Structure formats: C-alpha cells, structure tokens
C-alpha cells in the first residue's frame, strides 16, 4: 500500500467539517476499493481527530500562512535557546504570545466557518498545540501536515511526544532547513534510506536536518536558560499586573467619587422635587382661591349695581 496515496486521501478528509468526517471516510474507503491492496482498510482506520486537533487542521488547510509565521518564529526561538540568549528568548516570547493569540483567533474563526464553534477549553488546547509547534521541529511538521489527531504539548526542554499524534505519519513532509554544505562522495552503506517499516508500530515523526548542527547545549543549560526567560517573563507579568492593579485602584476611587456625587445629586433632586410638589399644591390652592375671590367680587359688583338702581328709583318716586 502506498502511504502517499493514503496521505492524499487523509489530507482531503482532515480538511472537511468535523461532523461530516465519518460519512466522508466511509465514502472514501469505498472509492479506494480498487486503488490498491489494503488501502480501503487503511482509510477506514483513519481516526477522527479531537476538536482541538481538527481546528488546527482547519488552520493548516485554509490559512497556512499563519502556521508559516509560527514556524519561522519557532526557528528563531530554537536558535536563541541553542545560543542561551536569554534576552532574545524573552523578546521572542513576547512576540510568540502575540502571534499565538492571533493564530488561535484565526483557528476559531475558520472552525466556526466550517460548522463548529470553539469553546474556551478547546481554544486553550489549540494554543498549547501551536506553542509546541514553535518549540519542536517535529511538532511543527505534524501541525503543518494538516492531519493532526490530538493536541500537542511542549515543556521547552524535552522533544514533543508525537506517537499517535498524526494520521499517516510516514508521509509527513519534513520542514525546510538551510541548504546542505558540499560533502564528499557519499557512502552508499550510510546514505541508503530504509523503506518505511510495515506493521502495527506507528513511525515517529522526525524533523529532517539537512546539515550538521553544532553541539546543542545540555538539558541542564537549556533548562537554566528557560528558567531565566521564565523568570524575566514572570517579572514582566508581575509588573503588568501591578499596573493593572493601579489602574483598578484609580478606577475604584473614581467610581466611589462619582457614586458619592450621584447620591448627592439624587438627594438634591429629591429635595427639589419635594419643593416643586409643595409649590404645585400652593399654586393650585392660590388658583382656586383666586377663582373663588373673582366670583365673590363679581357677585359684590352685581349687588352694588342693584343697590344703585334702587336708590335711583326711590329718588325718582319722591320727586
């Protein structure tokens, strides 16, 4: 059976919406019935990825440029770690945090476009997987393959465990490195590439290096460099946390001041409304009394007129 043909089929399956994976795998196995011995069974055996792994596969299939940026950053971080450049690791760590946040947002967006909303827990797993890809070349190749089955994790010292992490691992392309230096006539006994092992054992993904690398620092030196970078990152995080705490204190103070002003304004408003109500009642009373007084004045005026008329009549009668 040709691993490359199986990988071609897997590439198409792992770029599909997650909910349709099983049905698409069954259909692909039927189509592969005449393509080669063992291929249909191998297609049926392709595992369904976890939600987080699928989201990373969506990123590899639909926004590979995001992974290229992370891969390039990972190369610079590994170089800084090899040279024990703590300051460089600190700066690159900040850059990685920014890129990871952007990459996780992109993965969530692509996943939602293909039918699955990503929860906070899954987004955290996606971030951890992409972080592992910046720390380990093999993990970067696994992520770039688009056939990831499970999340990856890296501690910054040991290599990432890739056993069972990728479908069709033998067909994963190795990441590109610098061009190899000229070498003497190769010894066929040492350059012959063994055929991929057949059997139940799953081959481990390895990043292929095309030129010799200088001796790497010991695990202790790497751990010490990582510790220094982590300590500086912790100091930076503590500084930022203190700044946010200061901002919170200022905000709380401003809130308390405005709340007191609001209480005072509400009290003033209440007093004004009470005065307004009293004045309204006085106005209504004055209006009623004015109306009553006007009626009384009109009645008195009529009485005065009647009295005048009577006096005139009596005077005319005597004369």
């Amino acid at each position: 059976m040709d691993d490359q043909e199986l990988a071609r089929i897997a590439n198409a399956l792992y770029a599909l919406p997650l909910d349709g994976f099983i049905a698409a795998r069954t259909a692909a196995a039927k189509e592969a019935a005449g393509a080669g011995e063992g291929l249909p069974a191998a297609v049926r055996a392709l595992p369904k990825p976890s939600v987080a792994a699928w989201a990373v596969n969506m990123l590899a299939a639909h926004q590979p440029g995001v992974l290229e940026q992370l891969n390039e950053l990972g190369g610079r971080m590994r170089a800084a770690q090899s040279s024990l450049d703590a300051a460089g690791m600190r700066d690159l760590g900040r850059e990685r945090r920014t890129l990871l946040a952007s990459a996780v947002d992109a993965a969530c967006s692509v996943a939602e476009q293909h039918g699955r909303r990503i929860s906070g827990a899954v987004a955290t797993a996606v971030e951890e997987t992409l972080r592992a890809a910046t720390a380990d070349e093999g993990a970067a190749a696994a992520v770039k393959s688009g056939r990831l089955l499970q999340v990856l994790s890296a501690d910054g010292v040991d290599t990432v465990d890739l056993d069972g992490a990728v479908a069709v691992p033998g067909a994963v392309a190795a990441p590109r490195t610098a061009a190899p230096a000229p070498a003497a006539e190769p010894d066929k006994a040492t350059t012959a590439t063994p055929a991929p092992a057949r059997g139940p054992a799953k081959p481990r993904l390895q990043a292929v290096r095309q030129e010799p690398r200088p001796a790497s620092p010991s695990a202790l030196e790497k751990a010490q460099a990582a510790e220094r970078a982590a300590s500086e990152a912790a100091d930076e995080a503590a500084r930022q946390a203190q700044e946010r705490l200061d901002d919170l204190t200022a905000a709380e103070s401003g809130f308390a001041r405005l709340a007191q002003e609001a209480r005072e304004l509400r009290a003033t408003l209440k007093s004004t409304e009470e005065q307004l109500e009293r004045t309204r009642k006085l106005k209504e009373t004055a209006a009623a009394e004015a109306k009553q007084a006007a009626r009384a004045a009109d009645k008195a005026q009529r009485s005065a007129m009647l009295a005048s008329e009577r006096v005139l009549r009596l005077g005319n009668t005597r004369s």
Side-chain angles (χ1 to χ4, degrees):
M1 182 187 66
D2 185 359
D3 276 353
Q4 293 301 325
E5 178 61 18
L6 178 60
R8 184 190 66 78
I9 296 173
N11 286 341
L13 289 176
Y14 289 112
L16 295 174
L18 187 60
D19 292 338
F21 178 82
I22 300 300
R25 183 182 62 187
T26 301
K30 290 180 180 179
E31 291 178 3
E37 184 180 356
L39 184 59
V43 172
R44 284 192 295 271
L46 291 172
K48 183 177 181 179
S50 69
V51 177
W54 171 80
V56 174
N57 292 339
M58 290 294 97
L59 200 59
H62 301 285
Q63 292 197 28
V66 174
L67 297 184
E68 290 294 344
Q69 288 182 324
L70 286 173
N71 190 41
E72 187 273 335
L73 174 65
R76 288 189 283 131
M77 293 191 74
R78 289 189 293 273
Q81 187 178 41
S82 295
S83 62
L84 303 180
D85 182 2
M89 289 175 64
R90 182 180 65 250
D91 294 338
L92 291 170
R94 285 196 292 267
E95 184 178 347
R96 179 169 68 173
R97 286 194 293 273
T98 301
L99 275 181
L100 283 177
S102 177
V104 171
D105 288 343
C108 292
S109 177
V110 173
E112 188 167 355
Q113 291 170 11
H114 289 79
R116 179 62 67 98
R117 189 174 183 84
I118 299 302
S119 67
V122 172
T124 299
V126 169
E127 181 178 359
E128 182 63 22
T129 298
L130 296 178
R131 180 180 290 106
T134 65
D136 182 88
E137 290 179 278
V143 167
K144 188 177 179 180
S145 75
R147 299 192 298 273
L148 203 62
L149 300 176
Q150 62 192 34
V151 299
L152 305 178
S153 181
D155 60 9
V157 178
D158 297 325
T159 58
V160 177
D161 183 7
L162 299 173
D163 290 337
V166 180
V168 201
V172 174
R176 295 181 181 273
T177 58
E185 182 68 21
D187 184 350
K188 293 182 180 180
T190 60
T191 59
T193 303
R198 298 293 187 267
K202 296 181 179 178
R204 172 178 170 79
L205 294 171
Q206 297 290 346
V208 177
R209 297 189 179 96
Q210 296 178 330
E211 64 177 358
R213 289 180 57 180
S216 298
S218 67
L220 176 59
E221 290 173 323
K222 288 184 178 181
Q224 289 172 337
E227 180 187 20
R228 288 193 295 271
S231 177
E232 292 176 354
D235 291 341
E236 175 66 15
R239 184 188 65 78
Q240 294 183 4
Q242 184 60 49
E243 289 181 356
R244 300 294 84 76
L245 182 60
D246 293 342
D247 292 342
L248 174 61
T249 301
E252 288 177 339
S253 176
F255 178 83
R257 177 178 55 79
L258 291 174
Q260 178 61 31
E261 290 180 2
R263 285 192 295 270
E264 293 173 355
L265 289 172
R266 282 194 293 268
T268 301
L269 177 61
K270 182 178 179 181
S271 175
T272 302
E273 287 177 339
E274 291 175 349
Q275 292 179 10
L276 178 63
E277 180 63 17
R278 288 195 297 269
T279 303
R280 184 187 64 79
K281 290 180 179 179
L282 289 174
K283 180 179 73 70
E284 291 177 351
T285 300
E289 291 177 348
K291 187 176 181 180
Q292 184 177 4
R295 286 197 299 268
D298 186 62
K299 183 178 179 181
Q301 185 65 28
R302 287 198 302 272
S303 297
M305 290 177 62
L306 290 174
S308 296
E309 291 175 355
R310 183 181 180 190
V311 169
L312 289 173
R313 286 198 302 271
L314 290 174
N316 291 335
T317 301
R318 289 182 179 178
S319 61

